[in-house]
């Protein structure tokens, strides 16, 4: 492909800014581009959008656009990405991957590129079957413990939003992650939007297509297979045992289980594999009418419908109170709050949005940082797993103070700040329902006090953010893993167990779909390197024409 691309004319890139009302007007776009390039409008033959972001910081909303420009001639045809992975040979060495979330799936795809055979072991079900297992938790309050919003094909992100925005741009080729998702059916718009999002209704089809790529190239994906213990000989990994008595043998195991696989931490601890405590965060889901957030963020009067050119508004809030962060987390515009429990003695809440983000509600985690010293009361009994015990205590408290099943405790934000009962609660997107409870008293005092002061600060930053129409719902506890599985910075292998690659969110090295996917690729490359396989180019996304990512555009200034 490099020889073909060298003969192509490098397209010109131009950044322009337009008022919102002109941002979709083709003539206005051409005029702005022509002015920027000092060309006549007639010379601008074709524009192709490559970046889109909205600047709503001022009352006059502007849209920042980046175009590839065809000057006096049309642009080369836009690439259509299709996955094609080399088939693993009969002599290919096995790599065991525990977990079929983004870290595990991208690790598997990278293994195939490098000539290895990935074998993914996943405790949950495939995405299609997994969808049916969400019915009991939503309608009956009954958790199917190995198939739910956290466990199963695609990991927790499959049915809880599909956000792709990341600040982990230094961790690896983010564009490769996006292109891989598009090649497997994700909307091409994720290559353009500043804050890309797939949506919980579309992402399952994408991960199923990724699984098909893995299987077609000779990899394996085995569902309903729960790892019970690790086979370790003289500080070297030799494979894993599963609860059904099988052994899967390999000297390379990528551990990519996600942050809710608590039994994995317990098993590692029982086998005296080194673990470390790390910071995480706990709190609540805060929910507003979406129209209220639109009004605050887009500077429009209450009751005025937002422009059709604008998406459901989002926000990001953060402050520090008494040496602990207080911040929003996983904000879901036009979204829903969902039950994310993995056992039947707990209530856990999380957020999600569909691709259209057209729910009348906006929700976000609102959480306080938990440092290892904050879990000191749990250390004597739980040692390095004290953070998990602290999480679990809050989840059981939410169950106790809820209304049975997955009914969650709730409190108006105004009552939370005032320290009083809520006589009733506003409508909510949370399907199992909420019941008035004293969240301010259920949470530890040091969490409540910081949340109150943080919310007071945010209410001053966003006038109207604190209102009678706003619910707090308990509890958001699964923001990240309280445990890190340490690894060498260079080899990415566990610091004491060679051949074991702690990977992704569950190991404490990622936070979100994209960073987990990048970490999965890195671990696959590290495993290949340890076996003497040389790195290969990622030339597996075929297109009908040369992909634009292989032609270096020139940005006009």
């Amino acid at each position: 492909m490099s020889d073909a691309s060298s003969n192509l004319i490098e397209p010109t890139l131009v950044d322009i800014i337009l008022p919102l009302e002109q941002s979709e007007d083709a003539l206005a776009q051409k005029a702005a581009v022509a002015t920027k390039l000092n060309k006549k409008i007639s010379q601008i033959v074709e524009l192709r959008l490559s970046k889109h972001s909205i600047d709503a910081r001022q009352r006059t909303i502007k849209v920042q656009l980046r175009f590839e420009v065809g000057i006096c001639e049309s642009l080369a045809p836009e690439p259509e990405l299709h996955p094609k992975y080399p088939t693993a040979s009969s002599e290919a060495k096995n790599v065991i991957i525990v977990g079929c979330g983004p870290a595990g799936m991208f690790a598997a795809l990278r293994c195939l590129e490098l000539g290895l055979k990935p074998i993914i072991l996943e405790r949950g079900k495939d995405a299609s079957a997994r969808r049916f297992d969400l019915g009991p938790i939503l309608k009956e309050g009954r958790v199917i413990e190995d198939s739910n919003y956290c466990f199963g094909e695609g990991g927790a992100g499959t049915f809880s939003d599909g956000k792709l925005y990341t600040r982990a741009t230094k961790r690896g080729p983010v564009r490769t992650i996006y292109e891989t998702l598009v090649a497997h059916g994700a909307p091409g718009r994720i290559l353009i939007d500043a804050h890309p999002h797939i949506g919980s209704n579309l992402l399952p089809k994408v991960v199923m297509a990724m699984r098909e790529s893995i299987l077609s190239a000779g990899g394996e994906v085995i569902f309903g297979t729960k790892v019970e213990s690790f086979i370790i000989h003289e500080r070297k990994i030799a494979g894993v045992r599963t609860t059904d008595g099988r052994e899967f043998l390999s000297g390379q195991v990528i551990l990519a289980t996600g942050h809710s696989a608590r039994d994995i931490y317990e098993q590692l601890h029982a086998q005296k594999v080194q673990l470390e405590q790390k910071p995480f965060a706990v709190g609540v889901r805060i929910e507003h009418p979406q129209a209220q957030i639109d009004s605050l963020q887009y500077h429009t009067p209450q009751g005025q419908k937002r422009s059709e050119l604008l998406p459901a508004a989002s926000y990001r809030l953060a402050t520090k109170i008494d040496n602990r962060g207080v911040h929003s987390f996983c904000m879901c515009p036009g979204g829903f709050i969902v039950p994310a429990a993995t056992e039947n003695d707990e209530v856990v809440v999380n957020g999600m949005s569909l691709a259209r983000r057209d729910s009348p509600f906006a929700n976000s985690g609102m959480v306080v940082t938990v440092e290892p010293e904050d879990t000191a009361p749990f250390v004597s009994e739980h040692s390095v797993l004290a953070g998990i015990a602290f999480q679990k205590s809050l989840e059981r408290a939410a169950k106790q103070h809820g209304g049975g099943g997955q009914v969650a405790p709730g409190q108006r934000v105004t009552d939370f700040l005032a320290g009083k009962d809520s006589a009733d609660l506003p409508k909510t997107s949370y399907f199992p329902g909420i019941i008035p409870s004293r969240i301010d008293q259920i949470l530890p005092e040091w969490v409540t006090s910081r949340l109150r002061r943080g919310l007071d600060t945010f209410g001053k930053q966003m006038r109207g953010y604190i209102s009678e129409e706003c619910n707090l719902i308990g509890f958001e506890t699964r923001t990240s893993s309280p445990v890190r599985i340490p690894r060498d910075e260079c080899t990415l292998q566990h610091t004491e167990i060679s051949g074991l690659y702690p990977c992704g969110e569950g190991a404490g090295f990622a936070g979100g779909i994209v960073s987990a996917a990048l970490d999965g690729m890195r671990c696959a490359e590290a495993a290949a390197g340890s076996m003497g396989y040389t790195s290969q180019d990622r030339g597996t996304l075929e297109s009908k024409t040369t992909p634009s990512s292989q032609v270096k555009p020139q940005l006009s200034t």
Side-chain angles (χ1 to χ4, degrees):
M1 284 188 178
S2 58
D3 291 339
S5 63
S6 63
N7 297 323
L8 295 176
I9 298 174
E10 296 177 345
T12 298
L13 286 181
V14 176
D15 290 334
I16 62 172
I17 298 175
L18 291 175
L20 175 68
E21 59 273 12
Q22 295 181 15
S23 62
E24 300 292 323
D25 186 317
L27 187 58
Q29 293 171 353
K30 276 193 174 184
V33 168
T35 299
K36 188 75 173 282
L37 293 175
N38 196 25
K39 302 285 186 181
K40 296 179 181 179
I41 291 183
S42 60
Q43 293 177 285
I44 308 303
V45 174
E46 185 178 0
L47 298 178
R48 180 180 297 149
L49 186 62
S50 64
K51 283 295 176 186
H52 178 281
S53 63
I54 295 170
D55 185 351
R57 290 173 293 179
Q58 306 298 325
R59 288 191 174 275
T60 300
I61 298 174
K62 297 179 180 180
V63 180
Q64 299 175 342
L65 304 167
R66 174 173 290 180
F67 288 103
E68 292 182 26
V69 185
I71 302 172
C72 298
E73 63 181 359
S74 298
L75 294 164
E78 190 168 12
E80 295 182 22
L81 297 169
H82 302 281
K84 184 180 180 182
Y85 293 86
T87 301
S89 71
S90 57
E91 292 81 25
K93 294 181 180 179
N94 293 346
V95 175
I96 304 298
I97 301 172
V98 184
C100 195
M105 298 194 88
F106 275 86
L109 293 174
R110 189 66 181 127
C111 281
L112 290 166
E113 291 176 330
L114 295 166
L116 302 171
K117 178 182 177 179
I119 301 174
I120 298 180
L121 307 180
E122 167 57 48
R123 71 171 65 200
K125 299 179 182 179
D126 66 81
S128 180
R130 182 181 172 193
R131 185 187 297 275
F132 290 98
D133 288 342
L134 301 181
I137 193 172
L138 288 168
K139 298 175 183 178
E140 306 167 22
R142 177 170 57 86
V143 180
I144 298 177
E145 296 190 351
D146 286 324
S147 182
N148 44 60
Y149 276 99
C150 291
F151 298 144
E153 184 176 28
T158 302
F159 293 103
S160 56
D161 207 54
K163 282 187 189 67
L164 300 179
Y165 176 71
T166 181
R167 285 174 284 185
T169 53
K170 295 182 180 179
R171 297 189 185 184
V174 172
R175 177 81 181 189
T176 297
I177 302 302
Y178 293 166
E179 288 183 344
T180 301
L181 292 169
V182 171
H184 289 93
R189 186 77 189 189
I190 68 173
L191 300 174
I192 295 171
D193 287 336
H195 291 81
H197 168 258
I198 296 179
S200 298
N201 53 324
L202 301 183
L203 194 53
K205 294 179 181 178
V206 176
V207 300
M208 286 190 284
M210 291 174 65
R211 184 224 311 164
E212 185 55 37
S213 284
I214 294 167
L215 296 176
S216 297
E220 295 183 39
V221 182
I222 308 173
F223 295 108
T225 304
K226 187 174 181 178
V227 169
E228 180 181 66
S229 63
F230 298 86
I231 304 171
I232 301 171
H233 299 309
E234 297 180 348
R235 291 299 180 183
K236 294 181 180 179
I237 196 77
V240 297
R241 294 187 183 90
T242 57
T243 53
D244 57 8
R246 287 181 290 174
E247 290 187 351
F248 293 85
L249 302 180
S250 173
Q252 311 294 322
V253 175
I254 297 176
L255 187 58
T257 52
H259 58 53
S260 288
R262 292 169 171 170
D263 56 309
I264 290 293
Y265 303 129
E266 292 168 358
Q267 183 58 37
L268 289 170
H269 187 52
Q271 291 188 238
K272 302 189 185 309
V273 175
Q274 183 186 8
L275 304 174
E276 300 171 349
Q277 284 191 268
K278 63 175 280 292
F280 58 106
V282 300
V284 295
R285 275 272 144 184
I286 184 167
E287 186 172 55
H288 296 80
Q290 180 62 51
Q292 185 177 6
I293 301 301
D294 290 342
S295 175
L296 295 176
Q297 296 297 77
Y298 294 143
H299 321 289
T300 57
Q302 275 281 5
Q304 178 178 314
K305 189 177 179 181
R306 72 172 183 268
S307 167
E308 292 184 358
L309 298 176
L310 290 170
S314 62
Y315 60 83
R316 182 181 292 118
L317 298 167
T319 188
K320 183 165 277 191
I321 306 292
D322 293 340
N323 296 315
R324 294 291 182 271
V326 180
H327 59 92
S328 58
F329 170 79
C330 188
M331 195 271 155
C332 298
F336 304 86
I337 297 176
V338 296
T342 51
E343 295 182 283
N344 278 292
D345 63 347
E346 62 193 26
V347 168
V348 183
V349 290
N350 195 4
M352 58 149 300
S353 298
L354 301 179
R356 296 187 304 274
R357 287 180 161 171
D358 55 358
S359 159
F361 298 98
N363 74 79
S364 174
M366 186 58 64
V367 295
V368 175
T369 301
V370 181
E371 295 289 346
E373 56 263 35
D374 298 322
T375 63
F378 297 87
V379 170
S380 61
E381 182 177 354
H382 300 281
S383 184
V384 72
L385 305 181
I388 293 175
F390 175 63
Q391 283 179 321
K392 187 70 177 179
S393 70
L394 294 181
E395 295 162 3
R396 285 174 170 162
K399 179 81 170 184
Q400 177 185 349
H401 292 275
Q406 287 296 305
V407 177
Q411 189 174 19
R412 288 182 190 264
V413 68
T414 48
D415 295 333
F416 177 86
L417 293 173
K420 66 177 186 179
D421 294 331
S422 294
D424 53 20
L425 296 171
K427 291 182 179 179
T428 179
S429 66
Y430 183 66
F431 189 84
I434 55 179
I435 187 171
S437 305
R438 290 295 299 271
I439 285 179
D440 59 315
Q441 295 180 350
I442 304 169
L443 286 170
E445 190 279 332
W446 64 268
V447 175
T448 292
S449 63
R450 287 174 171 85
L451 265 183
R452 278 178 173 152
R453 291 164 63 188
L455 287 166
D456 183 64
T457 297
F458 301 148
K460 293 172 182 175
Q461 292 175 351
M462 288 178 66
R463 298 287 180 180
Y465 185 74
I466 303 301
S467 77
E468 289 288 326
E469 298 305 308
C470 173
N471 278 321
L472 301 183
I473 300 174
F475 291 123
E476 172 84 62
T477 55
R478 309 284 179 94
T479 56
S480 67
S481 171
V483 175
R484 180 178 290 110
I485 307 173
R487 70 188 187 191
D488 182 89
E489 291 184 5
C490 296
T491 68
L492 304 189
Q493 297 178 51
H494 189 275
T495 50
E496 296 178 347
I497 310 297
S498 65
L500 177 63
Y501 298 84
C503 181
E505 281 203 50
F509 296 102
I513 291 173
V514 174
S515 61
L518 289 169
D519 203 53
M521 291 173 63
R522 288 186 66 210
C523 287
E525 291 166 1
S530 73
M531 290 186 285
Y533 285 68
T534 57
S535 182
Q536 301 174 18
D537 292 334
R538 299 184 183 96
T540 56
L541 298 181
E542 283 201 335
S543 61
K544 294 181 180 178
T545 61
T546 301
S548 58
S549 59
Q550 295 183 3
V551 182
K552 186 178 180 181
Q554 294 189 344
L555 179 60
S556 177
T557 57

